Structure formats: structure tokens, C-alpha cells
């Protein structure tokens, strides 16, 4: 079974392999009372990736390592600069299934193969405080890298690693770095050993033929093979100019057209889904909700900006996104319901609690959540989900842009947002005209969904439209919260009816469930009373 360790470390460049790698006296670092020599560990690590290095591209590393005190399989997931979560599994001959699953959104159906082997002689020192507590581990690593696929190169180097002790203060690393910098030791230019190994052992392109030789036929006015197929001498000159010109600057990625802005937003949501996949599998708090939000943002964007992205292409993708959101919602909705019910029960005076209410709630919630978790993991391992990820990749790489995509964003994007806002206004108006009851509950729920879509449309529009769109995001978020709280009360009341029925059938007193139901009903009535004033304030501001 895999376990997780949060790793906070910094890497520094050492002298060339074979040279000395002296460290300054680290007892001078504030807080350090001693430096303990832990000897040299011989480490042998084989790194795995797909043939096209999908893990490395995403700054993920997967290795099988022997030697040291943590031999086994290690998968490192980036959290922030210098911070990674290391997922560990016991040694085995093949990649553990648990770790393969955590990179599934990256590799899809591709095979994981050995790409690089790193042999390291690690000279380890522990920095401890006056009580002997470990503050950080400093190591000088002499590394030899051997390419195992995609080439046969090798490289050697020396580097210094400083890893913070578990539960240590990250600010301590600044103190160590200050001492290292004074000694002339600077940060490594590579994010990891693997990144450096891949770069240093990559096959180098062969020298290109000299331009004057390649263009000899063109200089003589004689067409080459391409000329026989109709290429003109002028075209050949352009080819020669391209060969001899300086390397062009990378294209400016600043969004300019309406299509640029919407594709930037679409790409961010695609990336979020892929990046959140491992967190969802690990049951990281809020990860399911965040992935669900990304799917909804994508689907809403496709629907709001149909003048920019062809809906004959995006509508079928939207169907799949709706399916994924629903599957994610099975778990998320249960989380929300449980939170609301638990809070409501905790707020209830003890003399109003009769029977084993807490125990029944725990059993009801745990049984449902266990089943939904298993189902969700099966969904993430399924072909339908992986096909959706591939489809999103294809869409981002070759977007189905319509004519309006090339226009300036101010008119095209603003018009789409205003259209969504009008739909929200119509639905809120309908809800306010209905009497309290199930029809009004449904109308408020529909308005909530439309407010959410308008919020996402305004989010996508904010980089192009600025403050007006940002203000609309805030307004729609406020409306969404009110309507969402109301919908939660509807769901809570449904769950309480179910729990009361189960309790009654088990011979338990159902009084408490009725009290909680009444409170939820009062909460819904209060929210309905707030809606007219909330909407009047929003409508007064208008859309973008």
C-alpha cells in the first residue's frame, strides 16, 4: 500500500564530477547546534516514463530505487516550487498498480518504460538543534546518469540537496541558503535530477548541411526535385533565407482575439482536470469539488461562447463533461449533505436529540460514501473518461473556431455574457412570481445553474473586459451562494425524510429528524425572503 510524504527541498550546483564539493561550516546557520555525518549511501534509481516523456513534461517523476533508508518505488507530484508530495510503494519488479493509476490522466494507454538510470553516491549530513532534533538533511550527491531509451548518452555531475525535516519551518531553508550563497554555492538550474539527466543525455542533432551547399542548385537557377514539382525559384530563395536566418523569437502568447481569450480559459480547465486526477484518486480534501467545477466551467464555456467555438463539435464533448460532473457529484453531494446534517445536529440543543441520531447519520453517510468512492475510481480508470481527456487534448490542439473568433473580444465576448445575464434575470423573475413550494424550489435551482454559467462566462471574459466582468463574477457568485444555500436546504430535507423513515422502521424515535427538518424549512423561507433584495441590487448594476 502506498504512503505519502511531503518533501520540501532545494537543490544547488556543485563542482564538476570528480572534484571536491566542500560545504561551509553549517553550524554557523542560526538554530543549528550540530552537524552529524551520516556517511555515504549508494543509490541506484531507474526512472520510468512514456516514450514521449509525458511525465517529465508535467514535472512528475516515477522511479524504482534501491539503497538508502527508503528503497522502493517513488512517485513525486509537484505541489509548488521546491515542494512535492512523494508517494511511496514497496519494491517490486513492475510498476505498482497504485502508482500507475495516479499517472493515468497523463499517460492514458501509453506504456511506462525505463528512460534513465541514476547512480548516486550520497554524502549525508544532518543539521540538528540543541535538543538533537533534526532540522534538515544536507547531502552532496555525485551522480552518474545513463540513458536507457531514446538514446544512449551518459553524464556526470555533483549537486547539493537540502531537504527540510518533517514538519519543519520552511523559513529555515532560507537561513541555510544564505550560508551556501556566501560560500559561492548557487541554486541548480534544473528542477530535478531527472530533468538534468534527460537534458544532458539527450541525443544532439547532427550538424545541418551548410546553406550555400544546400542552395547550390537554386543559385544556379536550376530547380531541384521540388522545382520539378512546380516550386518556383522565388520559393526556393525563401527556403534559403529561412535556413540562414537567426532563430525566431517564440510567438507572443498574449491573448488578442476573442478566440485567444476563450481558448486560454478552456486550456486552463482542461489542465485542471488532468492535474486534479491524482488528488481525486488520493481523496485529497476538496479535490473532487475542484475537478467538478473545472468540468462545469468547460461545459458552460462551450455553451456561452457558441459564436467562437463551433457547437456542432463542442456539444458532444459537453455531453461527456456533464456525465463526468454527475459521476463526480455522487461523491461531492454526499460530502455536502453530510457536512450540513452534522453541523445542524451539532447546533441542536442536547434535550432535542432523542435516539441514536449521530450513529445513524454516520452509518448512512459512511455506507454511501464508501460505495461512491469505489465507483468514482472505476470511472477514472474507465475508457470513457480517458477518451474524454484525449478529446479535450485534440480540441485544444485544433480548436473548432468560428468566424467571430478572429474578432476583437470587446464586442463578441461582452455580447455572450449579456445574453447569459438576461437568462438569469428571466429565471429569477419566474421564481419570484411562484408561491413557496416545490415549483419555486425547482425554479430557484434553475436560476442557480444559470447564475453559475454566467459567472463562468464572466470569468473567461475578465482578462478581456476587465473590471465590469470581474464585478459580474462577484455578483453572480453572491447570487449563486444564496440560491445554492436554498438548494442545499432542499437536499437536506430530502435526506432527513429518508433518515426518519429508516429510524422509524428500526423502532427508533424520529423526533429529532422532524426538528431538524423544521429548521431547514425555516432556513429556506429566510433565503427566499432575501432573494428579491439581492436580485434588485444585482440587476441595478447590470451586466458588462
Amino acid at each position: 500500500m502506498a504512503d505519502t510524504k511531503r518533501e520540501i527541498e532545494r537543490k544547488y550546483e556543485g563542482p564538476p564530477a570528480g572534484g571536491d564539493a566542500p560545504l561551509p561550516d553549517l553550524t554557523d546557520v542560526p538554530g543549528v547546534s550540530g552537524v552529524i555525518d551520516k556517511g555515504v549511501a549508494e543509490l541506484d534509481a531507474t526512472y520510468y516514463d512514456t516514450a514521449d516523456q509525458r511525465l517529465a513534461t508535467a514535472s512528475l517523476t516515477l522511479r524504482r530505487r534501491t539503497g538508502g533508508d527508503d528503497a522502493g518505488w517513488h512517485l513525486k507530484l509537484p505541489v509548488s516550487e521546491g515542494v512535492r508530495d512523494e508517494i511511496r510503494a514497496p519494491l517490486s519488479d513492475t510498476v505498482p498498480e497504485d502508482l500507475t493509476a495516479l499517472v493515468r490522466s497523463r499517460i492514458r494507454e501509453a506504456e511506462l518504460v525505463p528512460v534513465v538510470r541514476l547512480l548516486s553516491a550520497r554524502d549525508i549530513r544532518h543539521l540538528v538543534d540543541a535538543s538533537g532534533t533534526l532540522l534538515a538533511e544536507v547531502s552532496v550527491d555525485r551522480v552518474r546518469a545513463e540513458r536507457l531509451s531514446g538514446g544512449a548518452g551518459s553524464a556526470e555531475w555533483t549537486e547539493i540537496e537540502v531537504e527540510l525535516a518533517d514538519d519543519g519551518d520552511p523559513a529555515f531553508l532560507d537561513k541555510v541558503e544564505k550560508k551556501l550563497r556566501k560560500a559561492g554555492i548557487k541554486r541548480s538550474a534544473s528542477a530535478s535530477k531527472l530533468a538534468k539527466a534527460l537534458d544532458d543525455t539527450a541525443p544532439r542533432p547532427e550538424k545541418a548541411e551548410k546553406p550555400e551547399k544546400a542552395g547550390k542548385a537554386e543559385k544556379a537557377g536550376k530547380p531541384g526535385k521540388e522545382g520539378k514539382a512546380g516550386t518556383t525559384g522565388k520559393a526556393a530563395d525563401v527556403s534559403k533565407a529561412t535556413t540562414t536566418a537567426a532563430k525566431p523569437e517564440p510567438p507572443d502568447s498574449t491573448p488578442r482575439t476573442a478566440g485567444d481569450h476563450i481558448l486560454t480559459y478552456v486550456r486552463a480547465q482542461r489542465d485542471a482536470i488532468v492535474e486534479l486526477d491524482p488528488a481525486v484518486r488520493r481523496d485529497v480534501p476538496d479535490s473532487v469539488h475542484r475537478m467538478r467545477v473545472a468540468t462545469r466551467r468547460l461545459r458552460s464555456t462551450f455553451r456561452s461562447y457558441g459564436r467562437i467555438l463551433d457547437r456542432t463539435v463542442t456539444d458532444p464533448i459537453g455531453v461527456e463533461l456533464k456525465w463526468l460532473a454527475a459521476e463526480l457529484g455522487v461523491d461531492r453531494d454526499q460530502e455536502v449533505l453530510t457536512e450540513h446534517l452534522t453541523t445542524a445536529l451539532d447546533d441542536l440543543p442536547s434535550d432535542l436529540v432523542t435516539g441514536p441520531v449521530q450513529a445513524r447519520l454516520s452509518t448512512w453517510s459512511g455506507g454511501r460514501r464508501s460505495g461512491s468512492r469505489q465507483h468514482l475510481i472505476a470511472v477514472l480508470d474507465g475508457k470513457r473518461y480517458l477518451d474524454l481527456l484525449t478529446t479535450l487534448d485534440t480540441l485544444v490542439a485544433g480548436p473548432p473556431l468560428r468566424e467571430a473568433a478572429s474578432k476583437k473580444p470587446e464586442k463578441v465576448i461582452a455580447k455572450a455574457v449579456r445574453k447569459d445575464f438576461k437568462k438569469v434575470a428571466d429565471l429569477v423573475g419566474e421564481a419570484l412570481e411562484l408561491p413557496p413550494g416545490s415549483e419555486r424550489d425547482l425554479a430557484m435551482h434553475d436560476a442557480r445553474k444559470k447564475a453559475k454559467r454566467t459567472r463562468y462566462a464572466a470569468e473567461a471574459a475578465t482578462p478581456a473586459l476587465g473590471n465590469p466582468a470581474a464585478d459580474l463574477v462577484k455578483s453572480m457568485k453572491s447570487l449563486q451562494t444564496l440560491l445554492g444555500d436554498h438548494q442545499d436546504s432542499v437536499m437536506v430535507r430530502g435526506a432527513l425524510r429518508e433518515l426518519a423513515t429508516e429510524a422509524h422502521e428500526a423502532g427508533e424515535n424520529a423526533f429529532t429528524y422532524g426538528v431538524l427538518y423544521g429548521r431547514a424549512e425555516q432556513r429556506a423561507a429566510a433565503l427566499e425572503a432575501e432573494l428579491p433584495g439581492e436580485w434588485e441590487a444585482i440587476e441595478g448594476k447590470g451586466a458588462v
Side-chain angles (χ1 to χ4, degrees), residues 272-329:
I273 293 173
V274 173
E275 291 167 5
L276 284 165
D277 180 290
V280 171
R281 292 175 185 270
R282 294 164 55 205
D283 202 15
V284 173
D286 205 40
S287 59
V288 171
H289 172 62
R290 291 166 59 203
M291 181 186 276
R292 193 182 188 191
V293 168
T295 65
R296 285 174 163 172
R297 280 176 168 147
L298 261 182
R299 183 166 173 257
S300 294
T301 301
F302 292 158
R303 298 179 70 183
S304 295
Y305 294 105
R307 287 191 63 207
I308 294 174
L309 294 171
D310 188 349
R311 288 193 60 174
T312 62
V313 176
T314 61
D315 276 358
I317 303 175
V319 171
E320 295 304 288
L321 289 167
K322 183 178 181 180
W323 160 77
L324 178 58
E327 296 290 3
L328 291 164

Side-chain angles (χ1 to χ4, degrees), residues 67-85:
D69 57 5
D70 63 346
W73 287 89
H74 306 150
L75 170 63
K76 297 193 178 187
L77 307 173
V79 176
S80 59
E81 184 179 0
V83 182
R84 295 184 292 183
D85 278 342

Side-chain angles (χ1 to χ4, degrees), residues 478-508:
S478 177
L479 178 63
Q480 180 188 330
T481 298
L482 187 152
L483 296 173
D485 288 345
H486 183 274
Q487 178 62 16
D488 287 343
S489 77
V490 174
M491 300 299 294
V492 164
R493 282 176 279 164
L496 286 168
R497 281 194 297 268
E498 181 180 334
L499 284 163
T501 299
E502 291 179 1
H504 177 74
E505 291 175 350
E508 299 166 7

Side-chain angles (χ1 to χ4, degrees), residues 149-188:
S149 63
S154 64
E156 294 185 5
W157 71 90
T158 300
E159 70 178 38
I160 298 167
E161 247 183 44
V162 183
E163 181 175 349
L164 190 68
D166 293 346
D167 301 320
D169 181 1
F172 178 70
L173 295 182
D174 294 332
K175 298 175 183 178
V176 177
E177 178 162 315
K178 183 177 181 180
K179 184 67 176 178
L180 295 177
R181 288 171 65 90
K182 285 183 177 180
I185 298 171
K186 60 182 181 179
R187 286 275 196 108
S188 173

